[in-house]
Amino acid sequence: GLSRHVMLKCTDFDKNLQLLVSQDITRIEQINQTRTDFVANVSHELRTPLTVINGFVETMQDYPQLPTEQRIQFLDLMKKDSDRMLALLDDLLTLSRLEATKDSDQLQPIHLSAMVGQLIQEGIILSADKQTFDTEISANIWVKGIQLDLYNALSNLVFNAVRYNHEGGHIQISLEAHDDHTVTFSVTDNGPGIASEHIPRLTERFYRVDTGRSRASGGTGLGLAITKHALAEHGSQLLVESQLGIGSTFSAQFDTIQEPQRVSLLGNIET
Ligand code: ADP
């Protein structure tokens, strides 16, 4: 940090002092800028739907005789925008929970094969027959982590594959053990793909390749930021391979653990 460099270097008046301090200040300025941008983004993202809801409320107050049909239409739109705000607030809470430092005793054995199985079911439900699925899960894979966080991380990848893919698209989801120690989770779609200049920025908060499409699909713009944080918590990182017009693959590798043995009340080990 800044203070450490200053203390160290002040004793011997190193010529590099100036340079080191200014580098650190640049870093602090960057962090401050990121924070300012974040608050501005959140405010904007909340203000937009709230303005819409507010407008409909005013209209309904001004025209108490509004025909039922129109009333229903307004209420539907208000519901959609309040859902959007709730989704955003949920993602913000998830992000701040992820940023809180965690004790290692919060890490639990997770049955990753079962989690991925459940994710696939949810992906299929979300897709509502608009896409086909091809899945492959290595059985009995366990990792150490925080169930909810890992679930959030992986579900964003599956849901994005569904939400950004076209009708009739194809999605491959796999959990593949390499050896006794590592496993790779991956989601491949044959959707629109992502141009290479966007890829390094995908995990930034509120970064969207196609803003209109992302909002229309119900995205908060925080999904991959959450995935990145949650994967880091599990000692993993997000890999993205994508080709415009061909599709995308999002994957992450994990260290596996032995299946935990259940100890019965009598103290015998059940396997
Ligand atoms: P959002 O809530 O907008 O989906 P994400 O952080 O999950 O936000 O993703 C960031 C952006 O990355 C999206 O807005 C979208 O443009 C792009 N993206 C993510 N997944 C895919 C995918 N499978 N195919 C194409 N584009 C994607």
Side-chain angles (χ1 to χ4, degrees):
L2 174 64
S3 50
R4 196 159 43 104
H5 283 313
V6 175
M7 294 243 299
L8 269 177
K9 297 296 175 184
C10 275
T11 48
D12 57 6
F13 288 96
D14 192 297
K15 285 190 212 97
N16 290 328
L17 171 64
Q18 195 70 28
L19 183 63
L20 279 169
V21 172
S22 70
Q23 273 175 350
D24 273 359
I25 288 172
T26 311
R27 174 87 189 111
I28 290 168
E29 276 170 357
Q30 275 169 359
I31 291 169
N32 280 337
Q33 186 59 46
T34 306
R35 195 167 294 154
T36 312
D37 290 348
F38 181 62
V39 172
N41 276 324
V42 171
S43 309
H44 176 75
E45 296 287 335
L46 287 174
R47 199 172 201 288
T48 308
L50 202 47
T51 306
V52 173
I53 293 170
N54 207 270
F56 283 126
V57 170
E58 268 177 18
T59 309
M60 290 169 86
Q61 282 174 330
D62 291 349
Y63 301 97
Q65 314 298 2
L66 213 62
T68 310
E69 210 171 290
Q70 205 145 35
R71 218 178 237 293
I72 290 172
Q73 192 198 353
F74 284 3
L75 287 170
D76 282 348
L77 291 167
M78 286 160 75
K79 173 80 169 86
K80 226 174 107 194
D81 272 316
S82 61
D83 281 345
R84 199 172 126 192
M85 291 171 68
L86 282 177
L88 176 60
L89 288 170
D90 281 345
D91 278 358
L92 287 169
L93 287 173
T94 299
L95 263 181
S96 76
R97 204 166 40 77
L98 282 169
E99 278 176 348
T101 43
K102 303 229 166 73
D103 294 333
S104 56
D105 63 353
Q106 284 179 273
L107 301 179
Q108 302 279 333
I110 299 172
H111 191 183
L112 191 56
S113 307
M115 183 185 278
V116 172
Q118 193 193 332
L119 271 172
I120 290 168
Q121 293 309 312
E122 289 181 14
I124 290 172
I125 292 170
L126 180 68
S127 127
D129 282 337
K130 291 200 183 78
Q131 287 114 3
T132 52
F133 285 77
D134 177 12
T135 62
E136 204 177 323
I137 309 177
S138 295
N140 228 10
I141 302 290
W142 290 76
V143 296
K144 211 171 168 148
I146 297 177
Q147 179 97 12
L148 181 63
D149 293 349
L150 190 57
Y151 184 83
N152 276 325
L154 305 186
S155 66
N156 287 330
L157 304 180
V158 172
F159 297 165
N160 278 349
V162 173
R163 291 191 295 118
Y164 291 105
N165 210 337
H166 47 80
E167 265 196 68
H170 188 66
I171 293 164
Q172 277 171 282
I173 300 171
S174 73
L175 182 68
E176 202 183 333
H178 303 291
D179 46 51
D180 286 347
H181 311 289
T182 52
V183 68
T184 297
F185 171 80
S186 80
V187 182
T188 300
D189 65 63
N190 62 348
I194 303 159
S196 57
E197 71 261 28
H198 295 294
I199 290 179
R201 301 196 60 190
L202 290 180
T203 58
E204 286 177 20
R205 292 159 186 210
F206 298 114
Y207 190 82
R208 293 164 165 125
V209 176
D210 179 342
T211 314
R213 202 187 157 100
S214 159
R215 291 228 173 79
S217 73
T220 61
L222 295 176
L224 293 181
I226 289 173
T227 296
K228 178 187 169 172
H229 266 77
L231 287 179
E233 186 177 83
H234 292 82
S236 180
Q237 53 184 3
L238 184 63
L239 292 176
V240 187
E241 289 165 75
S242 190
Q243 247 182 306
L244 211 54
I246 307 275
S248 315
T249 297
F250 290 80
S251 62
Q253 189 170 314
F254 300 94
D255 292 335
T256 56
I257 56 167
Q258 290 290 311
E259 174 180 357
Q261 295 188 319
R262 261 170 279 178
V263 179
S264 81
L265 287 175
L266 296 172
N268 300 325
I269 290 179
E270 295 172 3
T271 48

